[in-house]
Amino acid sequence: MKNKIIMFWIIVVLTIISIVVIKVKPIPLGLDLVGGSRIVLEAQTTETISTITQDMMDGLKTAIENRVNALGVSETMVQQMGDKRLLIEIPNISDPKLAREFLGETAELDFKKPVIDENGEVKGWEPSGLSGEDLNKAAVGTDNAGRWLITLEFSGKGANKFAKLTREFKGYPIAIYFNGDSISEPVVQQEITGGHAQITGDFTHDGAKKIVDLLNAGALPVPAKIIEENIVGPTLGADSLDKSKTAGVIGLGAVMLFMIFWYRVPGLIANIALIIYSLIVFAIFKMVPVTLTLAGIAGFILSIGMAVDANILIFERTKEELKAGRTLFTAINSGFDRAFTSIFDSNMSTIITCVILYFLGSNIVKGFALTLAIGVLVSMFSAITVTKNFMHLMFGTGQLKHPALFGLKESDINEAYEASETKREKAKFGVLD
């Protein structure tokens, strides 16, 4: 009994933590619920690129996904349309112009060495072989005077190139170009080893951050042009969300009433466990965080149904054990043990399906798969641990004195106990049937 009480308080603490998380942390909503920006991007051929290949499109898709992530939004969808177009959906974007400029802009960083005449004067620039492809990462920083600058960390190969460049042109400027424009021409004071450098200039924080984000996201493998842009309003999403809430409340209420009507007190316990389950799952959604879409809501509601299904299996098994003359403690334990295999098998099948959907489906399907998988995993905890713990604490051990509490008749229990008692008496005296 001591272990049951400890588990009870663990469940109470988990529930309180879940309520706090739900109150404190916001949950991001998808494009279908809050609106946002929908952009169609088309890869462009050039003098050097005559054909757009699938490898180019895969690289372009990855680069665009990295750039969208740099915008700080989640649950974006980047999906290929046809041979050379990408559909990009960005939910809750407050500045569509920023997204438009950011997605289509290149990110070419070049370090150009000086061309020096016979008098030692710089008369022009040429490529040095050191570029943004040699970077590991970039970051925004400040100098001692508080002015914004960009810090660079080169790869091992890039660090060697940079060291050689600064060694050869000590005392001369090196031009740093971003997207074809010179942004800095620092004079090399000494050879720089270690693979770290700084770009100083007349930067604002936003300007420096934009360059850093583009560099970290990587250059586009092929030029791309935005050919279509639409702003998706949240009106339809808000209406759908309201309808989903209404449907969820009606459905959940109907299920709870059925559980109480058919299973009586165990049904009430299952409803309490279901509320705890919902709180824990929603808290996990906020902590991950899971961006909620209509598909995600559908996955969550489906997982609630599966959680109820697990309790139904357990209670039916428990009723069978009670009818067979078992004591309350034995019947409850046997009911859970016998139902566990069925619950585990069905849930594992669902989780395997969720894994397949998550890795092979689109972003919308991934949202459905993720919420369903989380819900199914938590439902096993709520059905096996929460419900079982509450059942033991409420009913204890011994015989069931009030069968109606389990939705059973007096005759079902009395006949079972009488038969069980007779069998025990015979066994006591060594009489076997």
Side-chain angles (χ1 to χ4, degrees):
M1 181 59 70
K2 183 179 179 181
N3 290 338
K4 302 294 181 186
I5 294 174
I6 292 174
M7 179 54 67
F8 170 78
W9 285 111
I10 290 175
I11 294 168
V12 170
V13 170
L14 279 175
T15 304
I16 293 172
I17 292 174
S18 298
I19 293 172
V20 171
V21 170
I22 292 171
K23 281 285 187 181
V24 172
K25 287 185 70 67
I27 188 165
L29 301 176
L31 182 71
D32 54 352
L33 299 181
V34 294
S37 186
R38 180 181 285 119
I39 296 170
V40 177
L41 205 65
E42 185 177 76
Q44 304 291 305
T45 56
T46 64
E47 293 180 359
T48 57
I49 303 175
S50 58
T51 305
I52 304 297
T53 65
Q54 186 56 46
D55 287 341
M56 291 179 182
M57 291 303 298
D58 291 340
L60 180 62
K61 183 174 182 288
T62 300
I64 292 298
E65 286 175 341
N66 291 336
R67 292 188 175 195
V68 171
N69 291 334
L71 286 171
V73 293
S74 55
E75 197 62 22
T76 58
M77 185 187 77
V78 182
Q79 182 177 342
Q80 186 169 343
M81 297 172 57
D83 296 331
K84 57 179 183 178
R85 291 184 180 181
L86 293 179
L87 171 64
I88 306 157
E89 292 185 346
I90 311 173
N92 207 22
I93 186 74
S94 58
D95 189 357
K97 183 180 178 182
L98 172 64
R100 181 172 62 250
E101 293 177 350
F102 196 74
L103 294 179
E105 189 169 338
T106 56
E108 297 177 359
L109 183 70
D110 288 312
F111 291 79
K112 295 189 177 183
K113 60 185 181 181
V115 178
I116 304 170
D117 62 17
E118 61 276 6
N119 298 320
E121 300 291 333
V122 177
K123 63 175 184 179
W125 310 97
E126 62 183 7
S128 63
L130 181 65
S131 68
E133 294 181 357
D134 297 303
L135 286 180
N136 272 343
K137 65 178 181 179
V140 178
T142 57
D143 60 14
N144 294 332
R147 290 171 296 200
W148 296 107
L149 52 81
I150 298 170
T151 62
L152 305 176
E153 180 184 308
F154 292 101
S155 62
K157 185 178 179 181
N160 293 334
K161 289 182 182 180
F162 188 61
K164 180 182 178 182
L165 187 64
T166 54
R167 181 174 62 250
E168 290 181 357
F169 294 95
K170 181 179 178 181
Y172 287 96
I174 292 176
I176 304 174
Y177 279 73
F178 181 75
N179 289 342
D181 297 324
S182 176
I183 58 174
S184 183
E185 296 180 3
V187 176
V188 179
Q189 304 296 331
Q190 60 184 4
E191 179 185 352
I192 302 175
T193 58
H196 293 274
Q198 293 180 348
I199 303 176
T200 58
D202 188 20
F203 293 121
T204 63
H205 176 267
D206 291 341
K209 186 177 185 304
K210 181 179 178 181
I211 293 175
V212 165
D213 288 341
L214 285 169
L215 290 176
N216 287 331
L220 299 181
V222 60
K225 177 182 178 183
I226 294 175
I227 61 171
E228 182 181 333
E229 180 185 11
N230 298 306
I231 304 301
V232 181
T235 305
L236 180 61
D239 181 61
S240 300
L241 184 59
D242 290 339
K243 289 181 178 178
S244 298
K245 288 178 180 177
T246 303
V249 170
I250 293 173
L252 193 60
V255 168
M256 287 183 166
L257 288 174
F258 168 80
M259 293 298 290
I260 293 175
F261 171 77
W262 194 256
Y263 296 105
R264 310 299 167 81
V265 176
L268 178 62
I269 292 173
N271 289 342
I272 295 172
L274 196 61
I275 293 171
I276 294 172
Y277 157 83
S278 300
L279 291 173
I280 292 174
V281 170
F282 205 59
I284 292 174
F285 286 172
K286 290 198 169 190
M287 287 189 294
V288 170
V290 174
T291 301
L292 209 57
T293 62
L294 287 176
I297 293 173
F300 177 47
I301 292 175
L302 180 58
S303 69
I304 290 177
M306 298 188 70
V308 174
D309 184 57
N311 283 310
I312 289 174
L313 288 173
I314 291 166
F315 293 157
E316 288 296 336
R317 285 288 190 177
T318 302
K319 287 168 69 174
E320 290 176 6
E321 296 298 316
L322 288 170
K323 289 179 180 180
R326 305 286 191 272
T327 62
L328 267 172
F329 184 81
T330 305
I332 291 171
N333 280 344
S334 296
F336 276 85
D337 292 341
R338 288 172 180 267
F340 176 77
T341 302
S342 299
I343 295 170
F344 181 82
D345 289 349
S346 64
N347 285 346
M348 283 302 103
S349 299
T350 302
I351 289 173
I352 291 171
T353 304
C354 289
V355 171
I356 295 171
L357 289 175
Y358 186 84
F359 285 103
L360 299 182
S362 64
N363 278 27
I364 294 176
V365 175
K366 285 181 179 180
F368 170 81
L370 182 59
T371 55
L372 180 57
I374 292 174
V376 167
L377 289 172
V378 177
S379 73
M380 293 183 68
F381 167 77
S382 69
I384 303 301
T385 304
V386 178
T387 306
K388 186 177 183 180
N389 183 268
F390 285 3
M391 291 274 284
H392 278 311
L393 288 176
M394 179 164 287
F395 292 109
T397 59
Q399 294 184 352
L400 180 61
K401 296 180 180 179
H402 303 287
L405 295 179
F406 271 78
L408 294 171
K409 298 177 181 179
E410 291 279 351
S411 58
D412 294 334
I413 300 300
N414 291 339
E415 291 174 4
Y417 280 140
E418 287 173 6
S420 180
E421 188 64 29
T422 301
K423 187 178 291 187
R424 282 194 291 269
E425 288 296 325
K426 289 181 178 181
K428 186 188 297 184
F429 295 104
V431 178
L432 298 176
D433 292 333

